[in-house]
Amino acid sequence: MEMKPLTRVVLGLVCLLVAIWLVAPTLVVVPMSFNENKSLAFPPQGFSWQWYQNFVTNPDWSNSFLNSLKVASIVAVLATVLGTLAAFGLDRMKARPANLLRMLMLTPMVVPGVVLAIGIYAVYLDTRLVGTLLGFVLAHTILALPFVLIAVSANLEVFDRRLETAAASLGANALTTFRTVTLPLIAPGLLSGLLFAFATSFDEIVVSLFITNPYLKTLPVQIFASITRDADPTVAAVGTILLFATTILIGSGMLLLGRERKGRQ
Amino acid sequence: MLALPALVLLLAVIGYPLLTIILRSLSEPEWGLQNYIWFFSMPINLTVLQRTFVISTWVTLVCVVSAYPYAYLMTAVGPRVRLVLMLCVLIPFWVSGVVRTLSWVILLQDSGVINSILRSLGLGGVRLIRTQTGVVIGMAQVLLPFMILPLYSVMKGIDLRLMRAAQSLGARPSRAFFTIYLPLSLPGVYAGAIIVFILALGFYITPALLGGPRSTMLSTLVQTQVLSLLQWGRGGAMGVVLLVTTFVLLALAAPVMRSRYREAERR
């Protein structure tokens, strides 16, 4: 669309500001993580690695990190299996009940976090699941399920079912057909579902805050507790690590995706 | 029935807990509507309810206004710049929400980045943390990707030749924008705005860390009733009010969005 030069400059400036607003605030954790003093006041003083050291050696931090890794890994696998099965099931059902069930399965995305959290907390108190691995895994899996369902369903929509029929007509049994035809074709959806599920669990805070106890804490719970309790720069160190890990993962993922697309053209 | 395991888990971990909360709101300490009557007769509760709506509206407005030019620019630039713009949206989207709220605490606090810059310029400090402004700034930044992504996906599909046609027929750029581009992009605005508004209504972490007593939102009130006061009935009633509001909004928005999307697709 033709634009006046002035409009173009203003548009560019506004977008630059929005981009800065999106990215820059998070970067502030980087300088704070090297603070010499135990304070989150700006500007940070001196330079030290002690908060990174603290993250590794202090069991409060390292254990919560390991807990998060453990929970998120189990959730990623469980949610991907259940979500993929559900996506297949819905794909093979009549449109009306399938749509109804799909909407039902997406509800965890829109139910306000705190409402769900007090509900799960109430049930967990009765069933002694508060502060247990099983409790965390169940709650996080149900929150991650919609993302897997969306990712795999999107893949199934463009999947040509006749390919399976063809494989079967050539003598492949159901398992071989699934392994050699269906699975490779839905792999991208499966993989992004797996990643989304892992990230959802690793990041989950609201429900976790309610179902946690001193024996089992996940990383976001520890971060939240640390922010509300004292000005410990270890949170900034953790934030920096998470920020860089995420950036590398997303950046390389997008580059790979771009290259693959270019290769196909 | 391959969907069965997921469905069973859904009923056990979502359905049953929500049912429990609804029952408790009606039965504790005794059966009746007492908790709802209490909720709607206490001025403080109504103030918080109203404030929750006001803050969510502000957050949605800020998101629409800042996402619109951004999403438009994403459709207008080359692939390389688009990748950079996309990364700027996706990286914060993927970085842990707690970490992003922590950054806002560091930025907005009285000894924070914004106030130290203001002071070094010789200007007085401003109070940002524990104010509604601070909460809106932080929440809007966390929710902005939910506005940009649907907006971009709709704008991507708009045929820009329509604009050129309008201009070749003598319309000024601003007129072409308001009569052609804006209406065509509205489905994206609706979709993004409804998602942002609904998510904002239930926000808990950001208001809890950035807000103060004068910016308490409904979620914090629910948490206080249940965890600090052990008032499951009252907390539950508040939760049900929040839940019902969310679903009523979704139900109101669904038909509008569906028909708008269909129109957009047909074009």
Side-chain angles (χ1 to χ4, degrees), chain A residues 1-4 11-12 14-15 18-19 21-23 25-29 32 40-43 82-83 85-86 88-90 93 101 103-105 107-116 118-126 138-139 141-143 145 195-196 199 203 205-206 209-210 220 223-224 227-228 235-236 238-239 242-243 246-247 250-251 254-255, chain B residues 1-3 5-7 9-11 13-14 16-18 20-21 24 62 66 69-70 72-73 83 85-100 102-107 109 111-113 116 137 140-141 144-145 148 160 163 167 173 177 181 198-199 202 204-205 208-209 219 222-223 226-227 232 235-236 239-240 242-243 246-247 250:
Chain A
M1 137 166 78
E2 293 298 312
M3 274 189 292
K4 288 181 198 154
L11 182 69
V14 169
C15 291
V18 174
W21 184 40
L22 273 167
V23 177
T26 316
L27 291 176
V28 79
V29 293
M32 303 307 294
L40 284 173
F42 193 85
L82 291 178
L85 282 178
F88 269 96
L90 295 182
M93 275 165 70
L101 279 180
M103 262 166 60
L104 202 65
M105 286 192 187
T107 45
M109 291 176 87
V110 290
V111 173
V114 167
V115 182
L116 197 59
I118 58 169
I120 292 180
Y121 181 52
V123 173
Y124 278 16
L125 281 178
D126 291 343
L138 287 178
T141 301
I142 209 69
L143 288 170
L145 204 64
L195 207 67
F196 260 115
D203 216 29
I205 168 91
V206 182
L209 270 181
F210 282 77
I223 296 176
F224 185 85
I227 300 174
T228 48
V235 281
V238 179
L242 291 181
L243 179 63
T246 316
T247 309
I250 302 291
M254 282 190 72
L255 279 181
Chain B
M1 195 50 197
L2 292 166
L7 204 61
L9 194 68
L10 187 85
L11 290 179
V13 188
I14 304 273
Y16 182 55
L18 290 183
T20 308
I21 288 306
R24 287 199 183 181
V62 171
S66 39
Y70 194 88
Y72 171 71
L73 193 72
L83 185 72
L85 289 175
M86 197 53 154
L87 275 177
C88 286
V89 179
L90 288 183
I91 289 172
F93 190 60
W94 282 81
V95 169
S96 152
V98 197
V99 172
R100 292 168 68 192
L102 162 72
S103 319
W104 282 109
V105 174
I106 297 173
L107 284 168
Q109 63 190 339
S111 56
V113 179
S116 29
I137 295 175
Q141 193 244 4
L144 196 54
I148 293 178
L160 287 179
M163 295 289 287
Q167 283 178 2
F177 173 80
Y181 197 84
I198 283 174
L199 290 176
Y204 172 62
I205 296 301
L209 288 179
S219 290
V222 175
Q223 184 255 358
V226 170
L227 285 191
W232 282 93
V240 172
L242 190 57
L243 191 67
T246 305
F247 278 101
L250 267 182

Side-chain angles (χ1 to χ4, degrees), chain A residues 167-187:
Chain A
S169 76
L170 291 171
N173 61 25
L175 192 67
T176 316
T177 308
F178 181 77
R179 198 169 46 82
T180 56
V181 177
T182 319
L183 197 59
L185 281 170
I186 60 160

Side-chain angles (χ1 to χ4, degrees), chain B residues 204-224:
Chain B
Y204 172 62
I205 296 301
T206 315
L209 288 179
L210 291 180
R214 284 173 176 277
S215 47
T216 309
M217 287 174 73
L218 208 52
S219 290
T220 314
L221 225 53
V222 175
Q223 184 255 358
T224 314

Side-chain angles (χ1 to χ4, degrees), chain B residues 233-257:
Chain B
R234 290 180 174 180
M238 288 177 170
V240 172
V241 170
L242 190 57
L243 191 67
V244 169
T245 313
T246 305
F247 278 101
V248 166
L249 282 175
L250 267 182
L252 287 179
V256 182
M257 258 159 59

Side-chain angles (χ1 to χ4, degrees), chain A residues 70-95:
Chain A
K70 203 194 300 173
V71 173
S73 309
I74 302 174
V75 167
V77 174
L78 195 60
T80 306
V81 171
L82 291 178
T84 308
L85 282 178
F88 269 96
L90 295 182
D91 191 51
R92 263 130 233 229
M93 275 165 70
K94 284 201 189 97

Side-chain angles (χ1 to χ4, degrees), chain A residues 135-184:
Chain A
F136 272 98
V137 167
L138 287 178
H140 287 186
T141 301
I142 209 69
L143 288 170
L145 204 64
F147 296 103
V148 180
L149 188 65
I150 290 173
V152 179
S153 294
N155 230 266
L156 282 179
E157 239 163 59
V158 292
F159 174 75
D160 192 344
R161 287 270 291 280
R162 286 172 305 180
L163 291 172
E164 285 180 341
T165 323
S169 76
L170 291 171
N173 61 25
L175 192 67
T176 316
T177 308
F178 181 77
R179 198 169 46 82
T180 56
V181 177
T182 319
L183 197 59

